[in-house]
């Protein structure tokens, strides 16, 4: 399992580059693309809605399964904007719906003022 730490949104492009570099030999390109989108959305939400401080991003691969976790201080809750409420000009509200379309399952847990958002992908 590998863990990255970020503190602000400006670090997200570097995180995506590191993911691609590290996982390109182990994952098909389309799976890696989906994983990058999912992690960018989860980490971006943690930066935007979580408490200030480090955000830990971890990836665990086991055969065709990938589990990613984004852990941050604070107690926040993700919500999905109904598709009917999202306009083409909306600047936010699509992230969790996108994640839902790309992964097998996802969720979040809260313990001791720490939020962990996770997503599980399976590829064949």
């Amino acid at each position: 399992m590998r863990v990255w730490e970020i503190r602000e949104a400006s670090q997200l492009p570097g995180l995506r580059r590191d993911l691609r570099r590290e996982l390109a030999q182990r994952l098909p390109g389309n799976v890696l693309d989906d994983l990058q989108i999912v992690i960018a959305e989860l980490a971006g939400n943690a930066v935007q809605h979580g408490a200030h401080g480090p955000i830990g991003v971890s990836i665990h691969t086991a055969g065709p399964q990938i589990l990613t976790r984004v852990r941050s201080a604070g107690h926040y809750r993700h919500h999905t904007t109904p598709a009917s409420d999202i306009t083409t000009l909306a600047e936010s509200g699509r992230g969790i719906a996108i994640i839902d379309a790309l992964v097998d399952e996802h969720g979040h847990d809260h313990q001791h003022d720490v939020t962990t958002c996770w997503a599980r992908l399976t590829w064949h």
Side-chain angles (χ1 to χ4, degrees):
M1 177 170 54
R2 170 78 194 270
V3 179
W4 290 265
E5 186 177 291
I6 64 170
R7 292 184 173 270
E8 55 190 43
S10 65
Q11 293 176 290
L12 290 172
L15 173 62
R16 287 192 298 267
R17 278 191 306 275
D18 286 351
L19 285 169
R20 183 159 293 280
R21 191 172 324 140
E22 181 157 325
L23 299 172
Q25 300 301 316
R26 294 191 288 171
L27 300 175
N30 62 322
V31 174
L32 186 51
D33 292 342
D34 290 353
L35 182 62
Q36 285 182 295
I37 291 167
V38 168
I39 288 173
E41 288 295 333
L42 292 176
N45 285 344
V47 168
Q48 183 177 3
H49 302 294
H52 296 294
I55 296 166
V57 177
S58 65
I59 298 172
H60 177 75
T61 58
Q65 293 231 334
I66 305 164
L67 175 63
T68 185
R69 291 186 180 102
V70 175
R71 183 180 171 134
S72 61
H75 192 79
Y76 63 96
R77 183 182 153 108
H78 293 292
H79 68 280
T80 302
T81 303
S84 60
D85 292 348
I86 299 173
T87 68
T88 55
L89 299 176
E91 292 184 18
S92 64
R94 296 182 180 102
I96 298 299
I98 291 169
I99 290 170
D100 195 41
L102 296 176
V103 303
D104 300 316
E105 60 181 329
H106 64 92
H108 58 275
D109 304 306
H110 306 286
Q111 289 186 350
H112 309 291
D113 204 31
V114 172
T115 298
T116 302
C117 298
W118 57 269
R120 186 181 322 276
L121 294 85
T122 304
W123 58 278
H124 307 283

